[in-house]
Amino acid sequence: AVLAQVFCTVSCQSVLLMPQDTILVRTMEAGSLVLSHELHWQYLSGFLVGLGMGGVVGASTLGVAMFSLIAPEGHLKDFTAMVPVVNSISSLATVYVYIKNANWRLCIRMWPFILLGIIIGTLLLPLIEESVLRRLTSIVYGTILLQRLHEKATELRAAHADHKKDDDVGAKGDLVKAARIAYYNQTWVSAAVATFCGVVTVITNNSGPIFNIYLLACGLDMDQFVASRSVMMAGKNIAKTAARVFTGGLPWDVMLHGITVGSLSIIGIQVAKPIKRATSPEFYVYFTWCVLLYTCLKMW
């Protein structure tokens, strides 16, 4: 009886300790893998994020997507946990450079709903498996791309009809464009987009293309676009980083590594200045569509 009691006690203690030990080992393995796997691509990603935040079309989207693309099977969440840290450094540096050009009215209107979306996304993330996460990312990007292609087709049809009927070529197309800008600047649309972006940025870790499409659809020029996006991204990414730390999804060593990778973004922001001056918003939109299509197919 005594031996049975001792055996039962030892067995029960082993069962209780095993999950904790397993979690600890897996956490250490995940952290060490992030700190050593494909480092050259990680640092390039940090540079590209800064380049994109500074206004180079598609660079930030590509930089963030690379963290997902280089992650080994089963470690997607480990690698994407570092993305908010890298983006925080990049966003804060961009805000410092372009703060005077920000559309603060739009930023203040959207920010509370971004925070709401981040809270919802943080609650949903532990419930979603990696395979579902990859498919969900693909579906979100594909849906946004189709929606914007439909809008562009509508504008082109209006401009073509106007060219046939009137001497004032482009008048109807301009009216359609003005109506689109007014539509996207409505409070309820801003709130819906902001909440959705908050959820997407936690679950897929790449809401940048959605912000790009929305802000450019609001009629912002390139300076306003870069500044306003960086203001919203800075607060969003700081909140995401805090949420990851609070839920235990971001170990301290990975966060420090993210700061190191993010420091490369400061160089990217400076390199982006002359490129941004030569880039039109229309070209930025088209290239973002290509990045959306590539990521949609790759993540599927």
Side-chain angles (χ1 to χ4, degrees), residues 140-151:
V140 168
Y141 281 17
T143 302
I144 293 167
L145 177 60
L146 290 174
Q147 187 264 339
R148 286 298 291 125
L149 287 173
H150 173 71
E151 285 187 350

Side-chain angles (χ1 to χ4, degrees), residues 14 56 61 84 116 119 139 147 151 153 162 218 222 235 251:
S14 299
V56 175
T61 301
L116 174 63
I119 294 172
I139 292 170
Q147 187 264 339
E151 285 187 350
D162 188 60
C218 287
M222 282 303 293

Side-chain angles (χ1 to χ4, degrees), residues 33-44 70 257 261:
L33 186 63
V34 172
L35 301 180
S36 59
H37 183 72
E38 302 284 11
L39 287 179
H40 57 292
W41 292 116
Q42 291 190 41
Y43 286 115
L44 177 61
I70 66 174
H257 179 61
V261 174

Side-chain angles (χ1 to χ4, degrees), residues 58 61 137-138 140-146 148 206-210 212-213 285-299:
T61 301
T137 302
S138 178
V140 168
Y141 281 17
T143 302
I144 293 167
L145 177 60
L146 290 174
R148 286 298 291 125
N206 201 353
S207 64
I210 307 173
N212 294 347
I213 294 296
V285 169
Y286 292 150
F287 195 90
T288 302
W289 290 354
C290 294
V291 175
L292 282 172
L293 178 61
Y294 172 78
T295 309
C296 174
L297 296 176
K298 184 69 177 179
M299 294 300 286

Side-chain angles (χ1 to χ4, degrees), residues 36 43 48 58 70 76 84 86 89 116 133 152 154 188 219 234 247 263 282 299-300:
S36 59
Y43 286 115
L48 288 173
I70 66 174
L76 179 63
V86 176
I89 302 298
L116 174 63
L133 191 60
K152 188 63 180 179
T154 302
W188 74 269
T247 57
S263 65
E282 197 74 6
M299 294 300 286
W300 186 262

Side-chain angles (χ1 to χ4, degrees), residues 33 37 67-79 129-132 134 299:
L33 186 63
H37 183 72
F67 285 102
S68 299
L69 298 176
I70 66 174
E73 192 70 27
H75 291 276
L76 179 63
K77 290 183 180 180
D78 301 325
F79 275 76
E129 296 181 359
E130 181 173 317
S131 59
V132 177
R134 290 181 181 271
M299 294 300 286

Side-chain angles (χ1 to χ4, degrees), residues 17-279:
L17 288 174
M18 278 178 62
Q20 296 176 355
D21 293 342
T22 303
I23 291 171
L24 179 59
V25 169
R26 287 179 179 174
T27 302
M28 292 176 64
E29 287 178 352
S32 61
L33 186 63
V34 172
L35 301 180
S36 59
H37 183 72
E38 302 284 11
L39 287 179
H40 57 292
W41 292 116
Q42 291 190 41
Y43 286 115
L44 177 61
S45 297
F47 174 77
L48 288 173
V49 168
L51 207 62
M53 286 300 296
V56 175
V57 55
S60 182
T61 301
L62 180 60
V64 172
M66 280 175 64
F67 285 102
S68 299
L69 298 176
I70 66 174
E73 192 70 27
H75 291 276
L76 179 63
K77 290 183 180 180
D78 301 325
F79 275 76
T80 55
M82 186 174 61
V83 173
V85 182
V86 176
N87 285 342
S88 294
I89 302 298
S90 176
S91 301
L92 290 171
T94 309
V95 169
Y96 178 79
V97 174
Y98 292 104
I99 191 169
K100 65 180 181 180
N101 300 113
N103 185 329
W104 287 100
R105 183 178 179 182
L106 180 62
C107 294
I108 293 172
R109 188 168 70 222
M110 293 183 69
W111 224 103
F113 297 99
I114 294 174
L115 183 59
L116 174 63
I118 290 173
I119 294 172
I120 296 172
T122 302
L123 296 175
L124 291 176
L125 184 61
L127 307 177
I128 303 176
E129 296 181 359
E130 181 173 317
S131 59
V132 177
L133 191 60
R134 290 181 181 271
R135 291 291 177 92
L136 186 60
T137 302
S138 178
I139 292 170
V140 168
Y141 281 17
T143 302
I144 293 167
L145 177 60
L146 290 174
Q147 187 264 339
R148 286 298 291 125
L149 287 173
H150 173 71
E151 285 187 350
K152 188 63 180 179
T154 302
E155 290 182 16
L156 291 175
R157 282 198 300 268
H160 182 67
D162 188 60
H163 179 74
K164 283 186 173 182
K165 293 181 180 179
D166 304 322
D167 293 332
D168 186 12
V169 177
K172 189 173 181 181
D174 290 341
L175 288 175
V176 172
K177 186 176 180 179
R180 184 249 298 164
I181 292 173
Y183 173 79
Y184 279 108
N185 274 286
Q186 293 180 93
T187 301
W188 74 269
V189 177
S190 298
V193 171
T195 305
F196 181 67
C197 283
V199 175
V200 169
T201 195
V202 175
I203 294 178
T204 70
N205 235 322
N206 201 353
S207 64
I210 307 173
F211 272 113
N212 294 347
I213 294 296
Y214 175 73
L215 293 175
L216 290 171
C218 287
L220 303 183
D221 61 36
M222 282 303 293
D223 286 337
Q224 292 173 329
F225 164 69
V226 169
S228 301
R229 181 183 62 172
S230 61
V231 169
M232 285 187 277
M233 290 285 193
K236 170 181 74 73
N237 287 308
I238 291 172
K240 279 176 60 182
T241 301
R244 293 268 188 173
V245 172
F246 180 76
T247 57
L250 181 63
W252 288 105
D253 57 345
V254 175
M255 186 172 72
L256 292 175
H257 179 61
I259 293 173
T260 304
V261 174
S263 65
L264 271 294
S265 67
I266 298 174
I267 300 174
I269 293 167
Q270 299 303 319
V271 173
K273 285 184 177 180
I275 303 174
K276 176 181 66 67
R277 286 194 292 267
T279 304

